[in-house]
């Protein structure tokens, strides 16, 4: 899952939790919006584990997610600050996606100039 997708996911989940939607239901709704089948399956599997009563810390452990992300979710769940953590993660991954996009753009121009000089 890329930074942009994580930012959107976390924003959606934090807003749903704030309005009283259970995390499992929020994950189910969020999974529907993912185009990549692998990402959608990961969220659906996480939702199933939570429905079965597996604690969040254990349910996210086997998932293909960044270690930092898993650790932050575990902290949020154990300190009962999950909404705040999700909002912070949404901001973090949004900034990460913006930075990556800008850096990619900055690298394209020198590559074009190099190709033209060599050609």
């Amino acid at each position: 899952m890329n930074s942009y997708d994580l930012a959107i996911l976390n924003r959606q989940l934090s807003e749903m939790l704030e309005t009283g939607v259970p995390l499992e239901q929020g994950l189910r709704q969020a999974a529907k919006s993912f185009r990549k089948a692998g990402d959608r399956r990961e969220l659906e599997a996480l939702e199933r584990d939570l429905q079965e009563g597996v604690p969040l810390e254990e349910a996210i452990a086997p998932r293909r997610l960044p270690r930092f992300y898993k650790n932050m979710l575990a902290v949020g769940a154990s300190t009962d600050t999950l909404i705040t953590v999700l909002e912070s993660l949404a901001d973090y991954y949004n900034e990460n996606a913006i930075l990556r996009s800008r850096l990619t753009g900055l690298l394209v121009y020198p590559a074009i100039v190099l190709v033209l000089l060599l050609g």
Side-chain angles (χ1 to χ4, degrees), residues 103-116:
L103 288 174
T104 301
L106 289 172
L107 292 174
V108 168
Y109 178 74
I112 293 171
V113 171
L114 183 63
V115 167
L116 291 175

Side-chain angles (χ1 to χ4, degrees), residues 6-46:
L6 281 170
I8 291 172
L9 171 66
N10 287 303
R11 186 73 60 212
Q12 288 175 338
L13 290 176
S14 69
E15 290 173 359
M16 285 188 229
L17 288 173
E18 280 186 291
T19 61
V21 174
L23 182 58
E24 296 85 354
Q25 186 178 347
L27 284 167
R28 188 177 321 116
Q29 291 297 325
K32 292 177 185 177
S33 67
F34 277 81
R35 285 177 267 144
K36 294 179 186 172
D39 293 344
R40 191 171 42 252
R41 281 193 299 271
E42 279 294 318
L43 293 177
E44 290 168 347
L46 179 58

Side-chain angles (χ1 to χ4, degrees), residues 44-63:
E44 290 168 347
L46 179 58
E47 184 252 331
R48 276 192 306 275
D49 286 350
L50 294 173
Q51 285 283 37
E52 293 172 1
V54 177
L56 181 60
E57 300 88 0
E58 293 174 29
I60 59 173
R63 305 287 161 237

